Amino acid sequence: MSVFPKISLRPEVENYLKEGFVNKEIVSAFSKEEAERKFETLLKHLSHPPSFTTVRVNTHLASVQHVKNLLLDELQKQLNGLSVPILQHPDLQDILLIPVIGPRKNIKKQQCEAIVGAQCGNAVLRGAHVYAPGIVSASKFMKAGDVISVYSDIKGKCKKGAKEFDGTKVFLGNGISELSRKEIFSGLPELKGMGIRMTEPVYLSPSFDNVLPRYLFLQNLPSAVVTHVLNPQPGEKILDLCAAPGGKTTHIAALMHDQGEVIALDKIFNKVEKIKQNALLLGLNSIRAFCFDGTKAVKLDMVDTEGEPPFLPETFDRILLDAPCSGMGQRPNMACTWSLKEVASYQPLQRKLFTAAVQLLKPGGVLVYSTCTITLAENEEQVAWALTKFPCLQLQPQKPQIGGEGMRGAGLSCEQLKQLQRFDPSAVPLPDTDVDSLRETRREDMLWLANKDSIGFFIAKFVKYKST
């Protein structure tokens, strides 16, 4: 059920996306009306959270069953005894799924209000509490301990410190203020603690802030599928070309039983430090992270740099290119203020990174390309380009195959589209989940929904069958 307006986009961005989803290939296969209806459904679904929270168990340190038991205890505490199941994914044995309860419609709105930024609001819809830096505005007399209604300023129009706001705002639920208005807007830059503890969110999900941090990693379902598709093996040398914040890097190391070498690159220093911290926290020793631009990762002379970037051609057994992208598949996302130039700017960068990846891959090696976006230009068009540009590459079937097939419009054959995975947020109607309906829903139906109702995501798998 749709409770929020569709994602707010600049008109030129919406038209650009629509051109991709109502292209000639799709219209000739279905109809223009059907394609337009599906596109409108997609825009509505992007503003709502997926119907499951997905966590990956760090199998390097603990068994899935042990962590599941610990998590059940944690949920009992957080959800005040509400009975919410935890499902182990049948095709991804290290993944646990927790149903999201909502939308909850009978929450009484309070006179006292707080407005939070759009990013903070998106996090609240996935189970987070509100931290002080995310609060943009609060009612004049708000005190610590007050019950307040929390709204998201989806268009970024509210002035910091305002006492009231009449612009576009979306109700996220109620919470209890941990700080007074005066404390929040005191001007102290170091104020970073919790500002509002959410007690009645519109979508009820567990908070994972500092919950079993050595055993669990919060990840979207398709992000976990990617690493299983890569299928890293113990003893191999693997490159994660755009690795921050390290979710897939640490997953690769765990699937290899921490045996082999995982090289993680990112060009932003703080993000590389985060990868190192995550590896340390999860007890993984096979990861080496470097602050380095992936487009320059190929060594042009033949002098070895002793394991540091840049690398000699044909060095790696498998490469993951989880490419920088427009992120248009992220959910929930109620507004994107980007210009068309910004949304369309990623294709050239992705091609530079892809070219480096092909050069760095050994003959017989596997390259997996993924994005968390929905655009044709960053997904199927990149596959069509790669197959033309690099005759040494062959598209491969993927295991596990959980998403749908690729989207028409880039000139790929039906057989090629079946070898891709596109996770489409418009694939199923938005669910309306409460505790009673959970009790009556079969496990198989819940798993089916978890596979279908995810963020927008894309995966392609290639094998390099001869040397370049």
Side-chain angles (χ1 to χ4, degrees):
M1 166 180 185
S2 177
V3 289
F4 303 132
K6 74 178 189 181
I7 183 174
S8 169
L9 301 165
R10 290 191 184 187
E12 69 269 23
V13 171
E14 188 166 328
N15 289 336
Y16 166 75
L17 289 176
K18 189 172 182 178
E19 282 170 19
F21 280 82
V22 190
N23 66 63
K24 285 179 185 174
E25 282 187 53
I26 289 176
V27 168
S28 65
F30 304 101
S31 71
K32 190 177 181 193
E33 293 73 24
E34 174 66 14
E36 286 177 344
R37 184 198 61 75
K38 192 169 170 56
F39 178 64
E40 283 301 314
T41 302
L42 173 67
L43 297 184
K44 274 186 200 155
H45 289 205
L46 287 173
S47 64
H48 294 70
S51 53
F52 283 77
T53 300
T54 308
V55 289
R56 174 171 60 81
V57 175
N58 178 20
T59 49
H60 179 59
L61 290 186
S63 72
V64 175
Q65 189 57 52
H66 175 63
V67 175
K68 186 178 175 182
N69 292 339
L70 294 174
L71 191 52
L72 277 166
D73 291 343
E74 175 65 29
L75 289 196
Q76 284 284 310
K77 284 183 223 156
Q78 279 199 34
L79 305 179
N80 298 321
L82 276 182
S83 181
V84 175
I86 299 175
L87 308 175
Q88 184 176 4
H89 198 289
D91 300 317
L92 309 162
Q93 294 287 308
D94 52 358
I95 295 302
L96 297 175
L97 302 160
I98 303 147
V100 174
I101 295 171
R104 302 196 295 170
K105 302 170 211 67
N106 301 320
I107 300 170
K108 187 184 174 187
K109 292 178 183 173
Q110 305 294 310
Q111 277 190 308
C112 197
E113 294 181 0
I115 310 292
V116 300
Q119 268 191 308
C120 176
N122 294 341
V124 167
L125 290 174
R126 300 216 54 180
H129 296 291
V130 177
Y131 286 79
I135 301 171
V136 183
S137 150
S139 293
K140 191 173 181 181
F141 301 110
M142 188 177 95
K143 306 183 301 297
D146 284 353
V147 178
I148 55 174
S149 286
V150 179
Y151 295 83
S152 179
D153 170 26
I154 61 171
K155 296 194 174 174
K157 301 289 187 188
C158 184
K159 285 187 180 160
K160 186 86 173 175
K163 290 171 184 166
E164 52 186 47
F165 176 60
D166 295 324
T168 306
K169 60 186 181 184
V170 173
F171 180 60
L172 304 175
N174 293 339
I176 295 170
S177 177
E178 300 277 315
L179 300 164
S180 68
R181 176 191 159 83
K182 189 177 177 183
E183 288 170 311
I184 292 166
F185 300 114
S186 63
L188 293 172
E190 67 271 13
L191 195 65
K192 289 178 182 165
M194 192 180 292
I196 302 163
R197 187 175 296 278
M198 296 302 295
T199 52
E200 287 185 292
V202 170
Y203 281 92
L204 180 63
S205 303
S207 165
F208 280 90
D209 185 32
N210 213 28
V211 171
L212 306 174
R214 300 196 70 215
Y215 294 152
L216 288 179
F217 204 99
L218 195 58
Q219 242 175 339
N220 287 298
L221 181 67
S223 299
V225 173
V226 170
T227 317
H228 284 279
V229 168
L230 185 69
N231 193 25
Q233 299 299 309
E236 290 184 330
K237 186 166 185 172
I238 296 185
L239 174 63
D240 190 349
L241 197 53
C242 303
K248 297 177 188 71
T249 310
T250 54
H251 196 187
I252 290 167
L255 290 180
M256 293 166 69
H257 309 297
D258 206 26
Q259 295 167 23
E261 191 176 5
V262 184
I263 301 291
L265 302 186
D266 204 275
K267 63 179 186 178
I268 298 170
F269 177 79
N270 290 350
K271 290 185 175 182
V272 174
E273 290 306 297
K274 185 70 179 168
I275 297 168
K276 291 176 180 175
Q277 286 167 17
N278 280 328
L280 193 64
L281 181 67
L282 300 173
L284 296 162
N285 300 311
S286 58
I287 295 168
R288 297 172 69 216
F290 300 97
C291 186
F292 201 84
D293 181 349
T295 64
K296 297 170 182 168
V298 185
K299 193 156 180 57
L300 299 175
D301 58 52
M302 298 308 281
V303 180
D304 194 358
T305 47
E306 297 182 7
E308 297 198 359
F311 301 102
L312 295 173
E314 303 188 346
T315 291
F316 295 94
D317 298 293
R318 295 173 202 261
I319 297 177
L320 173 61
L321 172 51
D322 186 46
C325 70
S326 59
M328 298 295 292
Q330 291 293 359
R331 295 173 64 195
N333 186 5
M334 293 192 200
C336 176
T337 58
W338 282 14
S339 66
L340 178 56
K341 186 179 178 184
E342 287 171 304
V343 171
S345 67
Y346 285 92
Q347 195 187 62
L349 171 60
Q350 290 160 352
R351 291 185 177 183
K352 282 182 185 170
L353 289 161
F354 198 100
T355 301
V358 174
Q359 291 175 292
L360 289 168
L361 190 63
K362 290 178 183 176
V366 171
L367 167 58
V368 171
Y369 172 83
S370 63
T371 74
C372 59
T373 196
I374 55 174
T375 71
L376 194 66
E378 296 171 82
N379 295 328
E380 289 84 358
E381 281 184 16
Q382 297 293 53
V383 172
W385 165 81
L387 292 172
T388 304
K389 175 86 173 170
F390 303 104
C392 62
L393 292 183
Q394 282 182 338
L395 206 53
Q396 293 288 300
Q398 300 180 34
K399 279 181 77 173
Q401 180 85 29
I402 289 170
E405 61 183 46
M407 188 165 80
R408 297 164 193 251
L412 296 169
S413 70
C414 288
E415 197 54 46
Q416 287 170 326
L417 292 175
K418 283 176 186 165
Q419 292 180 312
L420 305 173
Q421 288 199 72
R422 177 180 270 263
F423 290 81
D424 174 10
S426 68
V428 290
L430 289 170
D432 202 343
T433 305
D434 58 31
V435 176
D436 292 335
S437 69
L438 275 181
R439 284 196 200 102
E440 294 160 13
T441 306
R442 294 184 319 155
R443 183 175 179 276
E444 295 78 11
D445 293 337
M446 283 197 261
L447 289 166
W448 178 85
L449 181 61
N451 286 341
K452 298 288 183 190
D453 187 25
S454 72
I455 65 165
F457 206 89
F458 178 83
I459 310 172
K461 180 181 182 181
F462 303 87
V463 163
K464 179 178 177 179
Y465 68 95
K466 63 180 180 184
S467 179
T468 46

